[in-house]
Amino acid sequence: MPTDRPSFAKARGPLWSEPGSLLEHVAVAVCGIDDDNRICYWGPGAHDLFGYHSAEALTRPGAILFGGSARGAEACARMADRGRTEGYWRGRQRVTHRNGADFDCGFRVFPVTGEAGRTVVMALASRGDELDRVKTNLAFLDALFATCPIGLVMLDEELRYRHLNQALADMNGLPIEDHLGRRLADIMITSDDGEYERMLRSVATEGRTVRGVRVGMRTRGHPDRDTVLSVSFFPLTQAVGSRPGVGGLLVDVTDQEQAVVEATASRQRLALLDRASARIGTTLDVEVTAQELVDAAVPDFCEAAVVELVDWPGESEVFDPALPVDTRRIASGTVLPAPATELVSGRREVRYPPGSAIHRMLRSGRAVCVPVNDDFLARTMLDASRARLMADSGLSVLLLAPLIARGTVQGLAIFGRSTRRTAFTEQDLSLAGELASRAALCLDNARLYSRERDIALTLQRALLPSFLAPSPYLHLAHRYLPGSRVTEVGGDWYDVIALPDHRVALVVGDVMGHGVSAAAAMGRLRITAKALARHDQEPAALLGELDQCAQEAGIELATCLYIRYDPTTGRARLASAGHPPPLVRHPDGRVQLLDDVLGVPLGVGGGGFRTVEVQLPDDAVLALYTDGLIEARGHDIDEGLHALHDELTRIPGSLEAGADRILARLVPSAPADDTVLLLARVHRRE
């Protein structure tokens, strides 16, 4: 008999273990007992288990396996007799290793017919602790399949169900019996173009292992329920009599995924609201503010958006559900291709009939969500061509939000999504309402500002001179340039007044501040100065009375420069109340700054004014201006004066062209303040 374990390259014995079998994990000893209870067969595993080589064991009494004593002989005889009489017996016996170690052993014994009809009892023996370990593992696996809340599955190489537990059957909504023998694709409904099945086939054919892959799907048992599973798959070992395949663990993480999705969406909504708060209302321009709302929403919140202002009939600004709603679209944007681009930007005036979704939204005063369907198109879209554009735009759902501020409906915002994105949720409705509320307040501020600005502009235009008094001894070029839109209406003013004896007065002033109050103060000072000039007063005396008028009117700070020119003598007498000094360009190109004129601003009180006289040569050019011409962000007044000085040296023959050149060179494209420039070329009277 062989004494050593054969290699796989050698001829195998009558009992052997394939790789991956249960016998590979539990050592099995094989031996034979003859009718005299002597050892007549000794397998390689018996040497490993009991320690005896075949030469030491063969023909010896089987009692050596049980310690060699009389008790051992009795144990061997009892085991062999049970095998002969019962045909098969299994049980536990205490055995003794060759080195004297005692251990528990499990036996399986059965009779076989040997040579010449003799009966041999074959015994299969394994260590009891190893058998206990395997039994425990098997019991654990049985319990795992029966009670584990995680889905467990065994698939064959064709991805057919061979075994699964109740947890997976419950996930799929079908009994275990309805799974067995069916293909995976018969149970699972995926929308990944077969990627999930290809992944499993690679596990079966290539031996890959996948862990914790998230898969979204539906099942035949729950065709209307979206499920997210975390799946792990591994190849099955091919033990004796087993078939290749795939084992897997599947965990339903739909709730966790939904929580993550909702948490992520909440963070995105907060981030969007934060960005929108910073971006909306940066100016007091209605259309800019509306476009800021659209830009904040597209594409993070939606794929298309428009903002429309309601054109209320008359001044009532009261919604009547029985009347059409007329709106004016002032902002739009979309990331969708045509015809969505034409839909959102191709029309400025829109009319919504009574019973439309817009009426429903305005009646509730809250954001509403409406599907783009035949009912919406019929009730809301009056224009058939516009209805076709809407139907073909790809938009599937609209969120309508009213723009309400200070109890007044300013307009409405419409946000749209296509089928490629999820529909609007209740949280999205709240977010849209918050965005609309903030935008509405900014729009209302811009609307009120625009209204005040229009009033101030109207007042300013009425108070500024529509034409300047003509004089044969003065050639004039004058410009009034309003500041940026935030501060468009200011208190800058100028005038040219005819006086007796061919004299002419030139006045430039500036009331600090902007808006209606500054325009009104400017108008009062201009009218008063014109009335006082008609009395032919000295410049210092005129400014004194103008200062008294400013104090009585509550005008706290204003500047004024008054010049009286006499063409007969060529002399100019001037006084200043804190105004920037005038410049004189002489015929030879030299520029003189008349900076010795002193005086405090009007309305301050307590200071006197003095008159200064200068001689102006024929063809000299006087330059009067307000501080908007020489003050600009980034440089001081001295730099501005120096730049004006240089421009005057290069002034062309035409004063009109010279005025345009000076403004173009010195005033930025978006000036922060109003600017007045008055150029006067003087001539002597012959």
Side-chain angles (χ1 to χ4, degrees):
M1 303 295 287
T3 58
D4 297 313
R5 182 185 298 273
S7 69
F8 289 113
K10 300 176 183 178
R12 298 185 175 93
L15 294 175
W16 54 279
S17 171
E18 292 185 355
S21 71
L22 182 63
L23 298 181
E24 191 178 53
H25 300 283
V26 180
V28 178
V30 182
C31 61
I33 307 295
D34 63 14
D35 291 338
D36 297 327
N37 291 335
R38 290 182 177 272
I39 298 172
C40 63
Y41 181 82
W42 194 254
H47 167 255
D48 294 337
L49 183 61
F50 297 105
Y52 294 99
H53 291 288
S54 59
E56 297 174 297
L58 290 172
T59 72
R60 294 187 66 182
I64 65 171
L65 304 180
F66 305 95
S69 62
R71 179 178 295 181
E74 181 183 352
C76 179
R78 186 170 57 250
M79 182 182 71
D81 287 343
R82 297 194 70 170
R84 294 186 189 99
T85 58
E86 296 179 15
Y88 178 81
W89 176 83
R90 64 178 181 178
R92 294 289 186 96
Q93 299 270 33
R94 298 296 295 182
V95 298
T96 303
H97 193 272
R98 185 177 184 277
N99 62 13
D102 191 51
F103 61 92
D104 184 63
C105 190
F107 285 92
R108 304 289 190 275
V109 295
F110 51 91
V112 297
T113 301
E115 296 177 355
R118 299 179 62 185
T119 299
V120 176
V121 175
M122 299 299 297
L124 307 180
S126 298
R127 288 186 64 94
D129 54 359
E130 292 185 359
L131 289 173
D132 291 340
R133 176 176 57 81
V134 171
K135 288 167 63 178
T136 301
N137 289 345
L138 290 175
F140 171 76
L141 291 176
D142 287 341
L144 183 66
F145 257 84
T147 63
C148 180
I150 297 174
L152 304 175
V153 67
M154 292 173 59
L155 306 170
D156 65 15
E157 68 272 25
E158 296 300 326
L159 302 184
R160 290 186 292 254
Y161 288 90
R162 297 193 60 82
H163 191 25
L164 71 154
N165 65 346
Q166 188 61 45
L168 182 57
D170 293 340
M171 288 182 198
N172 294 341
L174 295 170
I176 292 178
E177 295 75 15
D178 290 355
H179 288 76
L180 300 179
R182 300 178 67 181
R183 295 179 181 274
L184 182 80
D186 296 333
I187 304 297
M188 300 297 183
I189 304 172
T190 61
S191 57
D192 59 359
D193 197 26
E195 181 61 30
Y196 181 59
E197 186 171 346
R198 286 193 293 272
M199 178 183 71
L200 291 182
R201 289 196 179 278
S202 70
V203 175
T205 59
E206 303 172 17
R208 290 182 52 201
T209 299
V210 296
R211 297 182 179 89
V213 175
R214 299 294 174 99
V215 180
M217 65 179 64
R218 296 184 177 186
T219 66
R220 301 296 176 186
H222 298 301
D224 57 346
R225 182 189 304 173
D226 289 313
T227 303
V228 181
L229 300 179
S230 175
V231 301
S232 299
F233 289 101
F234 48 89
L236 295 176
T237 57
Q238 299 179 33
V240 177
S242 68
R243 302 176 65 179
V246 176
L249 297 88
L250 302 90
V251 182
D252 189 338
V253 294
T254 306
D255 292 341
Q256 297 94 312
E257 283 289 309
Q258 186 62 30
V260 171
V261 169
E262 290 179 358
T264 301
S266 295
R267 288 193 295 270
Q268 291 174 340
R269 283 191 288 266
L270 288 174
L272 174 61
L273 190 58
D274 184 62
R275 291 194 302 271
S277 299
R279 294 171 62 177
I280 299 174
T282 60
T283 72
L284 288 174
D285 185 284
V286 173
E287 294 191 5
V288 172
T289 300
Q291 191 61 47
E292 288 171 342
L293 172 59
V294 170
D295 294 342
V298 178
D300 293 341
F301 181 66
C302 60
E303 292 158 295
V306 298
V307 174
E308 299 173 3
L309 295 184
V310 176
D311 290 333
W312 297 108
E315 296 294 328
S316 63
E317 297 186 350
V318 175
F319 169 64
D320 185 347
L323 297 177
V325 173
D326 293 315
T327 67
R328 180 167 46 90
R329 186 167 296 176
I330 60 173
S332 63
T334 183
V335 292
L336 296 175
T341 49
E342 182 181 353
L343 174 70
V344 302
S345 61
R347 187 166 185 172
R348 299 288 289 179
E349 287 76 30
V350 185
R351 167 165 285 194
Y352 298 104
S356 71
I358 301 300
H359 283 70
R360 178 155 56 92
M361 177 266 295
L362 292 176
R363 187 163 50 247
S364 68
R366 295 188 300 271
V368 298
C369 191
V370 295
V372 178
N373 53 25
D374 292 341
D375 181 70
F376 170 80
L377 297 176
R379 290 177 176 270
T380 305
M381 309 289 288
L382 285 175
D383 190 319
S385 62
R386 302 288 295 174
R388 284 194 298 271
L389 286 176
M390 175 67 79
D392 298 338
S393 66
L395 295 172
S396 61
V397 61
L398 301 179
L399 196 162
L400 316 176
L403 302 175
I404 302 175
R406 301 180 178 96
T408 301
V409 176
Q410 309 295 319
L412 55 101
I414 303 176
F415 309 99
R417 286 182 180 177
S418 71
T419 53
R420 292 180 295 182
R421 295 181 63 164
T422 58
F424 292 108
T425 64
E426 288 295 327
Q427 291 78 11
D428 290 330
L429 284 172
S430 298
L431 175 61
E434 183 66 25
L435 286 174
S437 177
R438 297 190 182 202
L441 186 59
C442 295
L443 284 171
D444 194 46
N445 289 338
R447 181 178 68 99
L448 294 176
Y449 169 76
S450 297
R451 181 177 297 176
E452 179 181 346
R453 183 187 62 189
D454 291 342
I455 294 172
L457 280 172
T458 302
L459 177 61
Q460 187 181 51
R461 293 189 186 103
L463 295 176
L464 285 173
S466 56
F467 68 97
L468 300 180
S471 171
Y473 310 109
L474 286 180
H475 288 164
L476 299 171
H478 52 94
R479 299 286 187 274
Y480 173 81
L481 185 66
S484 64
R485 302 193 107 185
V486 175
T487 58
E488 186 170 1
V489 180
D492 291 19
W493 54 282
Y494 62 99
D495 209 345
V496 176
I497 307 165
L499 301 177
D501 299 327
H502 308 288
R503 292 192 298 272
V504 182
L506 295 88
V507 189
V508 177
D510 184 5
V511 177
M512 299 299 105
H514 299 88
V516 175
S517 59
M522 173 271 291
R524 178 173 293 188
L525 291 179
R526 175 179 170 265
I527 293 171
T528 302
K530 193 164 190 173
L532 293 173
R534 295 276 170 75
H535 291 84
D536 202 18
Q537 296 187 74
E538 282 292 312
L542 183 143
L543 290 183
E545 292 196 37
L546 200 60
D547 177 55
Q548 185 65 33
C549 174
Q551 294 182 55
E552 293 173 355
I555 301 173
E556 297 181 354
L557 192 63
T559 66
C560 183
L561 175 67
Y562 183 84
I563 299 178
R564 188 178 67 183
Y565 173 67
D566 187 347
T568 303
T569 62
R571 290 192 294 270
R573 297 178 64 79
L574 62 153
S576 174
H579 200 81
L583 290 90
V584 178
R585 183 190 186 278
H586 291 264
D588 59 4
R590 179 173 56 90
V591 176
Q592 176 185 4
L593 178 66
L594 305 180
D595 57 354
D596 57 348
V597 183
L598 303 177
V600 297
L602 302 175
V604 174
F609 304 97
R610 71 186 185 92
T611 299
V612 175
E613 183 175 283
V614 295
Q615 186 71 34
L616 299 178
D618 188 68
D619 210 31
V621 177
L622 272 170
L624 288 71
Y625 54 92
T626 56
D627 57 4
L629 185 67
I630 59 173
E631 284 185 356
R633 187 174 300 172
H635 62 76
D636 57 25
I637 293 178
D638 289 340
E639 292 180 33
L641 275 174
H642 182 73
L644 178 58
H645 180 283
D646 289 346
E647 290 300 326
L648 286 173
T649 61
R650 296 187 290 269
I651 194 169
S654 168
L655 290 184
E656 294 291 339
D660 291 338
R661 175 188 172 94
I662 291 173
L663 290 180
R665 296 296 184 90
L666 270 62
V667 179
S669 58
D673 201 359
D674 300 353
T675 298
V676 164
L677 175 63
L678 178 60
L679 298 179
R681 178 172 280 121
V682 299
H683 299 287
R684 296 287 295 273
R685 178 170 176 265
E686 299 297 335

